Structures are given as structure tokens and as C-alpha cells.
Amino acid sequence: MKKLIALTAVAALMSGVSLASFAAEKTHEEMCKEQAAKKHVSADKLDAFVKTCVEKHAKGAMSAPAGAPAAPTAPPVAK
């Protein structure tokens, strides 16, 4: 019975953590608007700034590797 309660508690905590981290993610546009506010970009230049910023981040996300690179293979051994 104690194992069941502990397992249920762990599952509830893990789901709460994953939902909180998912909700905390921001879109590229939201991040760029925050950067524009920090840099005090004027209203007439805001659209152009956000557009270039989003393109830059989207391009960087596509070119970034998805995971850790594979381990290098050893050269063939000469006999």
C-alpha cells in the first residue's frame, strides 16, 4: 500500500513539473518583443525588429543539432 501511495505521489509531482515547464516556454515572437522593449526600440521600427529577430531565431533553431553528436569511430586497424 505504501508503494502505491509513493508511486502515485511521484507521478503527480512529475506531471506537475512537466506541465509547468511546458507552460513556461515562449514563442520566438514573444521573446523578440521582450528584447525590443529592453532595447527601447521605437514603435515604427518594432515590426521590422521583431521580423528579423524571429527569422534569426528560427534559422538558428533549424541549423542547431537535435542532440549530442555521435561518438567518433575508431580508424580501421591495419593488419
Side-chain angles (χ1 to χ4, degrees), residues 28-29 32-33 45-58:
H28 293 301
E29 187 173 351
C32 291
K33 285 182 179 180
K45 296 180 182 180
L46 180 66
D47 288 334
F49 179 86
V50 170
K51 182 179 177 182
T52 57
C53 178
V54 168
E55 288 173 354
K56 180 179 75 172
H57 286 292

Side-chain angles (χ1 to χ4, degrees), residues 12-39:
L13 287 172
M14 294 301 290
S15 66
V17 169
S18 63
L19 289 175
S21 65
F22 179 73
E25 292 181 16
K26 295 181 182 179
T27 64
H28 293 301
E29 187 173 351
E30 291 172 344
M31 291 188 306
C32 291
K33 285 182 179 180
E34 288 178 4
Q35 285 181 2
K38 287 179 184 176
K39 294 183 178 185

